[in-house]
């Protein structure tokens, strides 16, 4: 049994960098993104470098497995800025032999022009926010690109990067099961090695959220249709050799997002930038880190105090076990019940597991507990049951 | 002591919202009984619930000194009575303690059913009645029509009714003069042995039990040793006072006077409303007539939502019972709900008031099970049993027949809603006794089974008449009918807290309605859940809650862990409002809402 003090090693170590700006805010998005007219990149660079130095000193000698530029829209960053950040990262941590360095990009023509620059800076994986493969739905989702533009950007990306993923949002307004089947089939034909397929979720605090609250968001699928869409998604991706390895993520074997696996396998990750969260095990204590969400607030805090974080707090062991459960049960590989027990100090309720097994929601494979296809569709209920909530 | 002819004792009869409490406030204010700065609205309603709901639950009293236009100062004792049917017995006792009543009728609304019930009690008590037309300044006021209605429906002369506006104070001096000149002075013999009526009693945290009395004959003095005739208990008085409305000590109370005493009495149940109080040494010859203890007619289970709060609930119930002799309780165990109490109440309002007080004053979240009436079970072996809880229904083969309580219900309603009201009463197994009109209002009298009324009859009545109907009832007796126990099975297991007694002819309909309601109330689970209603072993209605098909968070990355954990915490808190039953979680609200019928 792995020592609890080193539990994070089961998941590895990654670095997340948040770029909080977008050209326009999408109506469904509840990520920490902001629209501004002018960005002083040199100020932002100084802040990022200062945070890399600070966190590097705390985690000295750790092998860094992954870097992820998320947002916002990181493809609005200049390649020079990305280059300067990655240069400092490499100087700070010993890198894994084959590090995964991902950048999220929007598939507009302007941004596609920067793709080669990102590659030259060291980015080796591009995650594109395609979201839909028909223009009407793209407009409805508030996207600034067309399908043609996305395809062109994709072609450029494919030549620049060996690994390209793209995101699609489904279970959209007025979408039928057949339409989704056709759209997904088309996406699968586009030689990607990774797909993130998210069902549209209406979040509070978004334009869609406000519209839904007043009854203005019509034609969203009911539970049964969205369940059918989810099932079709699993079936088609599996047939195309890209099975779901997580609730909403599909990849050819070996092409999984290693950075996101750090989260789901409950490894350690450092978070830099406004609103970035982290989990760091330092001196045997696992700490949750957090930063101010407002870009200006984070920036001036870094400049004035040399530390962009809010006060850290230690995560108690049972809480770590719960976090591990919530994240890892999302994976097709399931969670390790021994690791859970080692963190929590007690085993998962065998009554709860047996009950879930009887209704076909989970299965056991040695020490692993795996949510079945049925279980994954109602995973929140499965988690509640396992946590005794 | 005060001469008899300088005393006037009275009560106020009014429908809810017709201005009884406001009129009482004005009388108190105008006579300077309470300093202006100490006045607050509904002076005589001490409990928050009374003020909020605009109702009076406990009788209360105030002694007013009024210098009349004839140059004499009179003592006016107002006994404020509960207006609600649940407390009809207390009303009838209070009425016996005074000689006259003000009948307050809203000049824009007219006579309502509750007014009728209470005014008949006043007539039964031989009261002189002075009609008062309130809200005369409203544009919708129709004093002539309302006077006519009072004469038609109640049968008293209303030509000298006093027009007032309690709100603005208009007409209040006329009311005070009418109390002095139109109501009779009390009678009594100062030299006879003490005979006083126990009008009401309540628990005071500092003084113990406070007893409100009306002296009929003789004189009661501080430090007297008194005897309660029915309970045969003797006490030495600690304190004798009058209410203004706060307590002001007084040396003695003579015939016709009203006041309070304390005597180290521990709980309200040691005092019986209507009992006769006399001296230990020199007892009166005959007790006052009409004494009867209050009998609970509606029962329900009260369970703590959080079973860890059982002890807190027991403490709270015991404390409430200290002050409310008409409320009964005993421990109950339910397979579905764990430990709780089976409680008996005078009626539905009484039930709601007790439940509200437990939740608010003692901060305990409660699950209330369906209210039930008391059935009489006549067993094959000749024994007669009372059934307070459908879950306790014995094997049917042992029961010869079942009787249920019936009521006489009086409903007053504008004629445009008459059809709806008749339909409602017929649907609830009612037998029409009478239908008359007074102006554009109909008065409907029905013989109804109480079990069809205890639950949502009043809510339904209000909704089908848009709130324009008024309703009152009295229990008339027991009658045999074809009653059966209906059980509800959730996921094939009977849920005792959902079983109920129902008329055989209505069982299918009720069963279907309950299954449909439960289907809405119980959230989807990971498996499908059959819901069945059954009589004996026979299923009479069935619904199925489909399995939950989709409940999963689409995106969950590094920053989402904290958020998702918070969501789970929230769900954990929400789950406290659920009860685990077998594998199924039933929301606490379901136990009562499942019984509400839409039609």
């Amino acid at each position: 049994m792995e020592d609890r003090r080193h539990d994070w090693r089961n998941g590895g170590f990654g670095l997340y960098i948040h770029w909080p700006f977008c050209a326009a805010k999408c109506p469904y998005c509840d990520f920490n993104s902001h629209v501004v007219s002018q960005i002083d990149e040199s100020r932002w660079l100084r802040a990022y470098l200062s945070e890399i130095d600070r966190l590097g000193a705390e985690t000295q000698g750790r092998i860094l497995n992954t870097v992820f530029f998320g947002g916002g829209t990181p493809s609005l960053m200049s390649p020079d800025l990305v280059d300067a950040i990655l240069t400092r990262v490499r100087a700070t941590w010993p890198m894994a032999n084959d590090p995964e360095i991902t950048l999220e990009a929007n598939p507009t023509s302007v941004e596609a022009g920067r793709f080669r620059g990102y590659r030259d800076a060291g980015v080796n994986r591009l995650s594109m926010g395609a979201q839909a493969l028909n223009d009407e739905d793209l407009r409805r989702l508030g996207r600034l690109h067309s399908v043609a533009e996305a395809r062109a950007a994709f072609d450029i990306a494919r030549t620049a990067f060996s690994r390209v993923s793209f995101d699609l949002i489904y279970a959209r307004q007025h979408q039928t099961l057949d339409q989704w089947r056709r759209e997904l089939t088309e996406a699968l034909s586009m030689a990607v090695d990774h797909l993130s397929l998210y069902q549209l979720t209406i979040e509070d605090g978004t334009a869609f959220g406000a519209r839904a609250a007043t009854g203005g968001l019509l034609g969203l699928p009911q539970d049964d249709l969205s369940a059918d869409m989810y099932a079709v998604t699993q079936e088609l991706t599996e047939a195309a050799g890209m099975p779901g390895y997580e609730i909403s993520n599909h990849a050819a074997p070996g092409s999984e997002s290693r950075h996101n696996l750090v989260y789901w396998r409950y490894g350690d990750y450092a978070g830099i930038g406004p609103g970035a969260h982290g989990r760091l095990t330092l001196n045997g204590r696992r700490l949750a880190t957090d930063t101010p969400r407002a870009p200006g607030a984070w920036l001036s805090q870094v400049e004035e105090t040399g530390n962009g974080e809010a006060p850290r707090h230690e995560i108690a062991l049972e809480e770590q076990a719960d976090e591990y459960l919530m994240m890892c049960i999302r994976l097709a590989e399931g969670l390790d019940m021994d690791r859970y027990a080692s963190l929590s100090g007690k085993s998962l309720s065998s009554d709860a597991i047996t009950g879930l097994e009887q209704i076909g929601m989970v299965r056991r494979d040695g020490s692993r507990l795996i949510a079945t296809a049925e279980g994954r569709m109602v995973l929140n209920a499965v988690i509640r049951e396992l946590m005794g909530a | 002591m005060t001469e008899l002819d300088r005393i006037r004792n009275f009560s106020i009869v009014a429908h809810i919202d017709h201005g009884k409490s406001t009129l009482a406030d004005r009388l108190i204010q105008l006579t300077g009984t309470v300093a202006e700065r100490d006045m607050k609205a509904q002076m005589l309603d001490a409990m928050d619930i009374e003020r909020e709901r605009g109702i009076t639950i406990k009788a209360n009293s105030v002694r007013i000194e009024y210098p009349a236009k004839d140059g004499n100062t009179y003592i006016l004792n107002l006994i404020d009575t509960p207006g609600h049917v649940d407390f009809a017995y207390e009303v009838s006792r209070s009425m016996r303690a005074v000689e006259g009543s003000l009948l307050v009728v809203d000049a824009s609304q007219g006579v309502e059913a509750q007014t009728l019930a209470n005014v008949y009690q006043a007539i039964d008590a031989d009261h002189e009645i002075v009609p008062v037309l309130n809200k005369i300044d409203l544009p919708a006021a129709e004093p002539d029509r309302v006077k006519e209605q009072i004469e038609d429906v109640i049968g008293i002369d209303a030509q000298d009714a006093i027009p007032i506006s309690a709100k603005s104070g208009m007409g209040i001096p006329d009311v005070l003069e009418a109390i002095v000149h139109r109501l009779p002075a009390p009678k009594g013999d100062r030299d006879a042995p003490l005979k006083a009526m126990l009008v009401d009693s309540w628990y005071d945290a500092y003084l113990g039990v406070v007893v409100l009395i009306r002296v009929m004959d003789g004189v009661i003095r501080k430090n007297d040793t008194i005897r309660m005739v029915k309970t045969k208990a003797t006490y030495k008085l600690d304190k004798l006072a009058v209410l203004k409305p706060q307590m002001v000590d007084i040396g003695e109370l003579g015939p016709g006077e009203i006041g309070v005493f304390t005597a180290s009495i521990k709980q309200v149940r040691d005092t019986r409303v209507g009992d006769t109080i006399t001296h230990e040494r020199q007892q009166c010859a005959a007790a006052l007539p009409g004494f009867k203890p209050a009998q609970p007619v509606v029962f329900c289970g009260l369970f703590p939502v959080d079973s860890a709060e059982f002890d807190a609930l027991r403490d709270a119930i015991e404390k409430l019972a200290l002050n409310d002799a008409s409320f009964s309780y005993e421990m109950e165990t339910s397979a579905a709900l764990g430990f709780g109490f089976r409680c008996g109440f005078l009626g539905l309002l009484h039930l709601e008031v007790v439940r509200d007080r437990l939740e608010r004053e003692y901060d305990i979240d409660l699950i209330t099970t369906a209210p039930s009436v008391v059935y009489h079970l006549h067993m094959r072996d000749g024994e007669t049993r009372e059934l307070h809880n459908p879950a306790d229904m014995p094997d049917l083969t042992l029961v010869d027949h079942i009787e249920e309580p019936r009521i006489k219900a009086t409903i007053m309603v504008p004629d445009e809603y008459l059809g709806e009201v008749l339909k409602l009463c017929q649907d609830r197994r009612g037998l029409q006794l009478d239908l008359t009109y007074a102006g554009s209002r109909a008065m409907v009298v029905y013989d109804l089974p109480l079990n069809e009324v205890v639950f949502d009859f009043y809510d339904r009545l209000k909704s089908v008449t848009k709130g324009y109907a008024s309703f009152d009832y009295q229990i008339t007796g027991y009658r045999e009918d074809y009653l059966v126990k209906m059980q509800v099975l959730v996921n094939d297991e009977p849920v005792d807290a959902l079983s109920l007694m129902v008329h055989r002819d209505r069982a299918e309909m009720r069963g279907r309605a309950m299954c449909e309601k439960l289907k809405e109330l119980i959230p989807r689970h990971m498996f499908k859940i059959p819901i069945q209603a059954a009589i004996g072993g026979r299923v009479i209605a069935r619904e199925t809650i489909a399995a939950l098909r989709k409940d999963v968070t689409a995106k969950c990355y590094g920053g989402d862990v904290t958020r998702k954990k918070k969501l789970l915490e929230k769900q954990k808190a929400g789950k406290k409002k659920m009860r685990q039953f077998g594998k199924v979680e039933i929301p606490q609200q379901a136990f009562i809402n499942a019984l509400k019928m839409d039609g």
Side-chain angles (χ1 to χ4, degrees):
Chain A
M1 204 180 285
E2 187 81 9
D3 185 352
R4 290 168 183 179
R5 295 163 57 89
H6 302 296
D7 179 78
W8 65 271
R9 288 188 177 156
N10 291 297
F13 179 48
L15 170 66
Y16 177 79
I17 295 170
H18 191 81
W19 175 258
F21 302 110
C22 281
K25 184 95 190 159
C26 300
Y28 55 85
C29 174
D30 72 331
F31 281 24
N32 187 25
S33 59
H34 304 263
V35 178
V36 293
S37 54
Q38 286 236 308
I39 301 159
D40 181 351
E41 277 202 351
S42 61
R43 261 184 89 189
W44 281 86
L45 175 61
R46 278 195 302 276
Y48 284 129
L49 296 183
S50 147
E51 288 287 88
I52 290 167
D53 291 348
R54 179 178 61 80
L55 286 161
E58 285 189 307
T59 54
Q60 212 171 13
R62 276 206 198 179
I63 292 169
L64 185 65
N65 303 103
T66 64
V67 180
F68 195 102
F69 289 90
T73 309
S75 54
L76 294 177
M77 296 166 90
S78 72
D80 288 348
L81 177 58
V82 173
D83 183 62
I85 291 171
L86 286 176
T87 302
R88 183 66 65 94
V89 167
R90 280 189 292 263
T92 304
W93 287 283
M95 302 294 281
N97 288 336
D98 180 19
E100 177 190 274
I101 300 174
T102 308
L103 184 136
E104 286 183 332
N106 271 352
T108 66
S109 51
V110 181
E111 288 158 280
R114 289 194 280 264
F115 287 177
R116 286 191 178 84
Y118 297 140
R119 183 204 50 203
D120 296 341
V123 173
N124 55 25
R125 183 172 179 271
L126 201 74
S127 171
M128 294 194 0
Q131 315 309 13
L133 294 180
N134 82 68
D135 284 336
E136 194 191 326
D137 283 2
L138 283 173
R139 279 192 295 273
R140 229 198 264 270
L141 291 170
R143 303 298 293 177
L144 301 176
H145 63 269
S146 64
V147 175
E149 238 179 328
R151 284 181 174 281
F154 176 73
D155 289 340
I156 297 170
R158 211 72 191 93
T159 59
F161 303 97
S162 57
R163 300 178 61 196
V164 178
S165 169
F166 67 68
D167 293 4
L168 289 178
I169 293 174
Y170 70 107
R172 305 189 289 256
Q173 288 171 272
H174 308 294
Q175 193 176 32
T176 67
L177 189 60
D178 252 10
Q179 282 168 351
W180 170 236
R181 198 192 294 272
R182 282 198 298 275
E183 191 169 331
L184 180 56
T185 305
E186 195 182 334
L188 287 166
S189 71
M190 286 170 70
V192 282
D193 64 351
H194 187 280
L195 280 173
S196 297
L197 305 169
Y198 302 110
Q199 290 212 345
L200 178 60
T201 308
I202 306 305
E203 306 281 0
D204 288 343
T206 64
F208 272 179
R211 205 166 161 205
T214 59
L217 205 62
L218 302 176
L220 288 172
Q222 297 301 302
D223 280 0
D224 281 341
L225 177 55
S226 60
D228 291 343
M229 285 181 165
Y230 188 82
V232 158
T233 305
Q234 308 315 304
E235 181 194 310
L236 290 181
T237 52
E238 209 158 306
M242 291 179 62
Y245 68 96
E246 190 262 356
I247 295 296
S248 304
N249 284 277
H250 304 259
S255 294
E256 297 87 359
S257 163
R258 275 180 268 148
H259 182 80
N260 290 336
L261 283 173
V262 171
Y263 301 142
W264 296 319
R265 287 176 177 159
Y266 206 43
D268 263 11
Y269 46 98
I272 292 180
H277 291 250
R279 290 286 183 276
L280 287 177
T281 309
L282 299 174
N283 305 316
R285 299 159 68 221
R286 201 175 223 134
L287 304 169
T289 72
D290 191 5
T291 58
R293 278 175 69 87
W298 176 80
L299 195 58
S300 48
Q301 185 177 323
V302 174
E303 287 171 346
E304 284 158 24
T305 70
N307 183 342
E309 286 180 29
R312 294 171 170 180
H313 78 265
E314 185 176 353
I315 310 167
L317 282 165
E318 308 95 78
E319 237 185 302
Q320 290 184 37
D322 282 349
E323 292 192 345
Y324 170 59
L325 164 66
M326 281 184 331
M327 296 308 271
C328 209
I329 193 89
R330 297 178 67 84
L331 292 173
E333 68 189 29
L335 70 87
D336 180 350
M337 292 185 279
D338 292 343
R339 187 178 164 199
Y340 177 92
S342 153
L343 279 175
S344 153
K346 58 176 195 291
S347 300
L348 281 166
S349 150
S350 69
D351 282 357
I353 294 175
T354 307
L356 287 166
E357 270 179 331
Q358 279 167 357
I359 54 174
M361 296 294 143
V362 297
R363 63 187 174 84
R364 278 185 261 215
D365 182 359
S367 75
R368 299 203 80 83
L369 182 70
I370 296 164
T372 61
E374 289 75 26
R376 288 163 77 179
M377 282 208 242
V378 293
L379 197 70
N380 290 345
V382 171
I383 292 171
R384 283 195 293 271
E385 196 70 23
L386 290 172
M387 283 175 51
Chain B
M1 72 144 253
T2 314
E3 290 304 325
L4 284 168
D5 62 3
R6 296 286 159 80
I7 300 175
R8 297 292 183 274
N9 297 322
F10 69 104
S11 67
I12 304 177
V13 172
H15 184 68
I16 186 167
D17 286 342
H18 281 199
K20 181 178 72 163
S21 295
T22 318
L23 174 59
D25 287 353
R26 287 292 164 271
L27 296 175
I28 291 168
Q29 210 172 6
L30 198 73
T31 53
T33 307
V34 173
E36 213 41 60
R37 64 185 147 79
D38 296 328
M39 272 307 288
K40 50 189 172 183
Q42 286 177 253
M43 202 66 211
L44 295 181
D45 293 334
M47 280 188 261
D48 284 349
I49 292 177
E50 292 184 314
R51 289 215 168 87
E52 263 171 44
R53 295 191 173 210
I55 52 170
T56 302
I57 297 164
K58 298 291 289 178
N60 208 334
S61 166
V62 63
R63 177 177 167 123
I64 299 167
E65 283 177 29
Y66 172 58
K69 288 180 183 159
D70 64 9
N72 297 318
T73 294
Y74 292 83
I75 298 294
L76 313 182
N77 288 304
L78 163 63
I79 293 187
D80 188 20
T81 58
H84 195 274
V85 52
D86 285 5
F87 309 102
Y89 175 67
E90 298 194 6
V91 177
S92 79
R93 289 304 89 200
S94 309
M95 293 286 185
R96 302 271 167 194
V98 298
E99 286 75 27
S101 284
L102 302 179
L103 166 64
V104 179
V105 180
D106 184 322
S108 64
Q109 304 273 329
V111 176
E112 300 286 357
Q114 265 176 27
T115 325
L116 273 185
N118 286 340
V119 83
Y120 287 143
Q121 293 225 23
I123 292 169
D124 281 351
D126 286 330
H127 279 195
E128 197 60 47
I129 294 166
V130 175
V132 174
L133 301 184
N134 192 18
K135 308 193 191 181
I136 202 80
D137 51 346
L138 287 185
E142 294 179 278
D144 290 337
R145 201 183 58 77
V146 172
K147 276 185 198 173
E148 208 174 295
Q149 197 200 10
I150 292 173
E151 295 187 343
D152 281 359
V153 178
I154 303 173
I156 59 169
D157 184 357
Q159 287 322 299
D160 295 329
I162 307 168
I164 68 159
S165 164
K167 206 171 160 198
S168 74
M170 175 200 139
I172 304 299
D174 300 337
V175 174
L176 286 164
E177 284 296 309
I179 292 168
V180 168
H181 297 294
R182 288 167 63 179
L183 298 186
K187 296 188 182 76
D189 181 356
R190 188 176 164 79
D191 300 322
L194 174 66
K195 183 196 273 186
M197 180 199 280
L198 197 162
V199 180
D200 198 5
S201 62
W202 57 89
Y203 186 81
D204 181 287
Y206 299 103
L207 300 169
V209 174
V210 178
V211 181
L212 178 68
I213 55 163
R214 153 72 197 267
V215 180
M216 300 299 180
D217 291 319
V219 180
I220 187 169
R221 294 183 179 84
K222 199 184 165 192
N223 298 326
D224 279 358
T225 299
I226 53 110
R227 178 183 175 84
M228 304 213 186
V229 173
K230 292 290 173 194
T231 60
K232 300 187 171 64
T234 59
Y235 298 97
K236 186 170 180 300
L237 265 51
D238 296 332
K239 182 182 184 75
L240 187 67
V242 291
L243 298 171
K244 289 185 154 185
Q246 77 287 6
M247 279 185 212
V248 177
D249 285 349
I250 197 164
E252 61 168 57
L253 290 171
E257 290 195 278
I258 289 169
V260 294
F261 70 77
T262 65
S264 307
I265 304 172
K266 290 207 178 52
Q267 34 177 339
V268 168
R269 65 195 54 232
D270 298 333
T271 62
R272 300 280 172 79
V273 170
D275 203 350
T276 306
I277 290 166
T278 185
H279 279 129
E280 168 70 358
R281 294 249 178 128
Q282 197 191 3
Q283 298 184 11
C284 58
L288 293 160
F291 171 83
K292 64 167 193 205
Q295 285 291 346
V297 294
V298 177
F299 285 79
C300 78
L302 296 179
F303 293 84
V305 170
D306 180 354
S307 52
E309 285 196 322
F310 174 77
D311 286 336
L313 176 61
R314 175 165 47 205
D315 287 352
I317 283 182
E318 282 171 0
K319 277 191 193 132
L320 271 192
L322 278 182
N323 200 17
D324 188 346
S326 52
F327 158 59
S328 71
Y329 65 96
E330 60 183 26
M331 217 180 106
E332 181 185 1
T333 324
S334 152
L337 303 174
F339 290 107
F341 293 92
R342 190 82 193 161
C343 301
F345 306 91
L346 296 174
L348 281 178
L349 179 77
H350 188 212
L351 183 161
E352 282 175 29
V353 164
V354 170
R355 189 190 58 202
D356 278 9
R357 292 187 65 186
L358 288 171
E359 291 204 320
R360 269 200 267 178
E361 292 171 30
Y362 299 92
D363 197 23
I364 299 171
D365 281 336
L366 292 173
I367 296 174
T368 314
T369 64
S372 166
V373 301
V374 179
Y375 297 93
H376 289 169
L377 306 183
H378 295 269
M379 312 301 287
R380 288 263 151 89
D381 62 6
E383 188 199 347
T384 305
R385 290 191 202 168
E386 282 194 355
L387 180 74
H388 291 180
N389 185 349
D392 299 334
M393 180 73 188
D395 193 302
L396 267 182
T397 57
L398 303 173
V399 181
D400 184 70
H401 66 279
I402 304 173
E403 288 181 337
E404 64 176 339
R406 308 280 302 196
I407 60 166
K408 182 178 153 192
T410 304
I411 299 164
M412 311 232 11
V413 61
D415 50 11
E416 69 246 54
Y417 302 111
L418 180 62
E420 297 287 346
V421 171
L422 296 183
K423 180 170 183 308
L424 178 65
C425 291
Q426 293 296 136
D427 285 351
R428 300 296 173 99
R429 298 193 281 133
L431 303 168
Q432 199 182 82
L433 299 177
D434 198 9
L435 170 58
T436 51
Y437 287 91
S440 63
R441 288 172 77 83
M443 184 171 90
V444 187
V445 183
Y446 258 85
D447 171 18
L448 280 158
L450 182 60
N451 93 337
E452 299 284 349
V453 172
V454 285
F455 192 62
D456 61 347
F457 181 83
Y458 193 42
D459 288 344
R460 295 293 311 148
L461 181 68
K462 277 190 289 190
S463 109
V464 300
T465 63
K466 301 198 166 59
Y468 283 110
S470 59
F471 166 65
D472 201 34
Y473 72 87
Q474 64 200 84
I475 292 186
T476 48
Y478 273 76
R479 192 184 308 159
E480 181 186 346
D481 217 324
Y482 188 6
L483 297 159
V484 290
K485 174 183 166 184
M486 186 169 83
Q487 275 196 311
V488 173
L489 296 91
V490 174
N491 208 24
D492 299 324
E493 292 187 56
V495 179
D496 56 0
L498 287 171
S499 49
L500 75 161
M501 300 297 295
V502 59
H503 192 271
R504 185 62 191 84
D505 294 347
R506 306 235 308 143
E508 270 83 7
M509 199 266 281
R510 291 295 311 258
R512 267 198 309 278
M514 269 185 85
C515 290
E516 281 166 20
K517 262 280 154 66
L518 283 168
K519 187 180 174 180
E520 287 167 30
L521 293 165
I522 299 176
R524 282 181 168 201
H525 283 53
M526 283 181 278
F527 42 90
K528 67 175 186 211
I529 305 169
I531 299 173
Q532 294 155 301
I535 298 171
R538 208 166 72 79
V539 173
I540 54 167
R542 183 193 169 97
E543 289 282 340
T544 303
I545 301 175
L548 180 68
R549 283 212 58 199
K550 191 151 179 311
D551 179 13
V552 56
T553 308
K555 285 191 183 189
C556 197
Y557 296 102
D560 302 317
V561 197
T562 312
R563 207 165 55 154
K564 187 142 187 250
K565 217 165 52 183
K566 275 187 191 148
L567 194 74
L568 272 162
E569 291 304 320
K570 228 163 86 182
Q571 286 169 339
K572 267 190 196 173
K575 190 173 158 156
K576 281 198 171 164
K577 307 245 172 216
M578 308 271 247
R579 275 291 168 144
Q580 186 80 29
F581 196 75
K583 288 193 298 181
V584 180
E585 284 166 1
I586 304 180
Q588 61 174 109
Q589 287 304 327
F591 292 97
I592 195 120
N593 287 342
L595 292 139
K596 290 200 174 146
M597 287 185 292
D598 297 323

